[in-house]
Amino acid sequence: MLASHHPAPPSPDERIGVLLCNLGTPDAPTPAAVKRYLTQFLSDRRIVQLPPLLWQPILRMLVLPRRKKASAEKYQKIWTEEGSPLLVHTRKQALMLKGWLGEAGMRGIEVEAGMRYGNPSIAAQLERWHAQHIRHILIVPLYPQYSATTTASVEDAVNAWAQTQPQAPTFKLISHYPADAGYLNALEHSVRQHWMTHGRAEQLVMSFHGIPQRNVEQGDPYQQQCLQTAQALAQRLGLTAEQYCATFQSRFGRLPWIKPYTQPTLEALARQGVKTVDVICPGFASDCIETLEEIDMEVRQAFLDQGGHEFRYIPCLNERPEWISALRDLVIHHLREWRQP
C-alpha cells in the first residue's frame, strides 16, 4: 500500500506529477558504473530473497567481481551517443506523454522518468517535485505485468522515500495492465507493421523477462499475466496455438525459473526445422540490454547456430504513437478523481 498523507483532491490549478518508472541502467558502460548499478539491483530483497548476512558476502566477493566486466562489455555493445537506450527511450516517452496529455486537455501534468536502480532515481524525482509543492503523484511502472520483483519494488522505493517526509504527497499506483486494450493495440500494430515489411515468419516467439519459479508458487501473478498478454495478442493477430509461443528469458542464479526458457526454445525450434522466427518482447516498454544484446545478439546467434535461417527481432514499443496513446489513456483513466480533461 502506497503511503498517503494528503487525502484532499487537488484544486484545478494544482500541478500533478506522473512518474514513469523503469528498471534502471548504469550511468556508463564501464565496470565501475556497472558495479554500482548491480550492487543496488542485487541488494534489493525483492530480487534476491536470501538473508543479507548470507547474500552480501557472496554478492561482493563472488558475483560482482565476475559480472561487472562481462556486463560492462554487453552494455558497450548497445550504448548510444545519447546514452543508455532504456533511459533514452523512457525519457522520450515521458516527454511525448506530457505533450499528448496537454493536447487531451490535461493541464498542469508534469511527467518525468524515474529508475528503480541507478539514475535518475525515483527518490530524487520525488524530492524535486516535493520541493516544487507537487502534492499528488501518479506512479506508472512501465511493467504491464505485475510482479513483486518489479512493480512491488517500485512501490517499496516510493514508500521508503515517503517515510522520510513529515507530510508526504498523495500517491496512486497503476499496478498492472496486461490486457489493456491500448497496450495490446500497440503490440498488434508493431507486429503487423513488421509483417508488412518483412513478411510473416513461421513462428512468433513472445519473450518475457523471467522470475524464479518459487515466486509463482508463493502467489506472484506475473506468469499468469504474461500468458494473458500472449494469448490476447495472438488472438488479435489470428494466430493458432501452433504459430506462437510465450517464453521467459534472463535467468539468474541456479534456482529454477519459470519455463519455457527463451534461448533453449529457439534452439529447439531451429533443430526441429523451423527456418524463420519473429521475436517480440511484450513485457519491455523500452529496448534495453535484455532485448538488444540478450535477444537480438545472443539468442539470435544461438538460433542461427542450430540451423535457423532468419531471426527477425521486433523492437519494443519505445516511442510508437500507439504506445504513447495507450499510456495517455491509462493516465487519464487513473487520474479521473483528480483531474478531468
Side-chain angles (χ1 to χ4, degrees):
M1 179 69 68
L2 284 175
S4 179
H5 305 286
H6 196 277
S11 63
D13 58 344
E14 281 187 282
R15 289 182 297 164
I16 294 172
V18 174
L19 189 61
L20 299 187
C21 299
N22 219 323
L23 187 74
T25 176
D27 295 323
T30 63
V34 169
K35 181 182 178 181
R36 290 194 300 271
Y37 170 73
L38 290 178
T39 299
Q40 184 184 11
F41 174 51
L42 296 176
S43 295
D44 187 344
R45 293 294 300 277
R46 296 283 190 179
I47 303 299
V48 179
Q49 298 178 3
L50 294 174
L53 286 176
L54 173 63
W55 171 240
Q56 283 298 318
I58 297 173
L59 173 63
R60 294 174 186 278
M61 291 188 291
L62 296 177
V63 177
L64 293 175
R66 294 177 180 177
R67 290 180 65 93
K68 63 180 181 180
K69 185 175 183 296
S71 294
E73 291 173 350
K74 293 181 178 184
Y75 275 106
Q76 289 164 13
K77 294 178 183 178
I78 62 141
W79 213 260
T80 71
E81 291 184 359
E82 296 178 274
S84 165
L86 180 140
L87 180 56
V88 169
H89 287 304
T90 307
R91 280 178 161 159
K92 288 180 178 178
Q93 290 165 357
L95 181 63
M96 292 178 68
L97 177 59
K98 181 178 180 179
W100 285 40
L101 286 168
E103 291 175 359
M106 298 291 285
R107 306 301 179 186
I109 308 295
E110 301 295 327
V111 186
E112 295 289 349
M115 298 292 122
R116 178 60 184 90
Y117 315 105
N119 296 306
S121 71
I122 290 172
Q125 183 55 49
L126 294 178
E127 193 69 37
R128 282 191 290 271
W129 277 343
H130 198 55
Q132 297 167 11
H133 305 289
I134 294 177
R135 298 292 183 256
H136 294 78
I137 298 172
L138 178 67
I139 305 297
V140 187
L142 293 176
Y143 315 122
Q145 299 78 23
Y146 176 93
S147 173
T149 61
T150 52
T151 310
S153 184
V154 166
E155 189 172 2
D156 291 344
V158 173
N159 280 330
W161 176 84
Q163 289 168 9
T164 68
Q165 305 301 313
Q167 185 179 22
T170 296
F171 294 102
K172 290 186 179 182
L173 171 77
I174 301 179
S175 64
H176 60 276
Y177 41 101
D180 176 75
Y183 164 59
L184 292 173
N185 180 64
L187 290 174
E188 179 186 357
H189 271 257
S190 70
V191 175
R192 291 195 181 279
Q193 187 177 61
H194 172 84
W195 284 350
M196 288 180 63
T197 303
H198 303 283
R200 198 174 88 178
E202 297 169 69
Q203 279 275 323
L204 176 65
V205 178
M206 306 182 200
S207 181
F208 297 84
H209 201 292
I211 63 172
Q213 179 64 36
R214 179 179 60 186
N215 293 38
V216 175
E217 294 168 357
Q218 292 174 344
D220 195 308
Y222 177 74
Q223 183 179 29
Q224 182 273 327
Q225 291 190 8
C226 289
L227 296 178
Q228 182 183 14
T229 297
Q231 291 162 4
L233 178 57
Q235 184 176 19
R236 281 171 166 258
L237 294 170
L239 297 177
T240 66
E242 294 74 30
Q243 293 173 318
Y244 81 97
C245 60
T247 63
F248 300 91
Q249 64 180 85
S250 308
R251 180 187 175 194
F252 172 76
R254 298 182 179 181
L255 292 176
W257 280 36
I258 51 178
K259 296 179 179 179
Y261 299 144
T262 297
Q263 182 168 322
T265 298
L266 267 297
E267 291 172 340
L269 287 173
R271 290 194 296 268
Q272 293 163 12
V274 174
K275 301 301 182 184
T276 60
V277 292
D278 293 321
V279 182
I280 190 172
C281 299
F284 295 86
S286 304
D287 273 309
C288 55
I289 192 168
E290 287 88 355
T291 64
L292 298 173
E293 197 281 331
E294 181 181 357
I295 295 298
D296 202 25
M297 295 182 188
E298 291 184 15
V299 176
R300 168 190 293 276
Q301 192 59 52
F303 175 73
L304 298 176
D305 287 346
Q306 293 298 317
H309 287 186
E310 284 190 66
F311 181 104
R312 303 188 304 217
Y313 173 64
I314 302 173
C316 291
L317 295 176
N318 296 327
E319 295 85 53
R320 291 186 64 89
E322 301 86 3
W323 172 231
I324 307 303
S325 174
L327 286 174
R328 177 200 60 199
D329 293 347
L330 271 173
V331 167
I332 290 175
H333 174 75
H334 285 271
L335 288 184
R336 66 186 185 279
E337 296 178 5
W338 288 350
R339 184 69 48 85
Q340 295 294 328

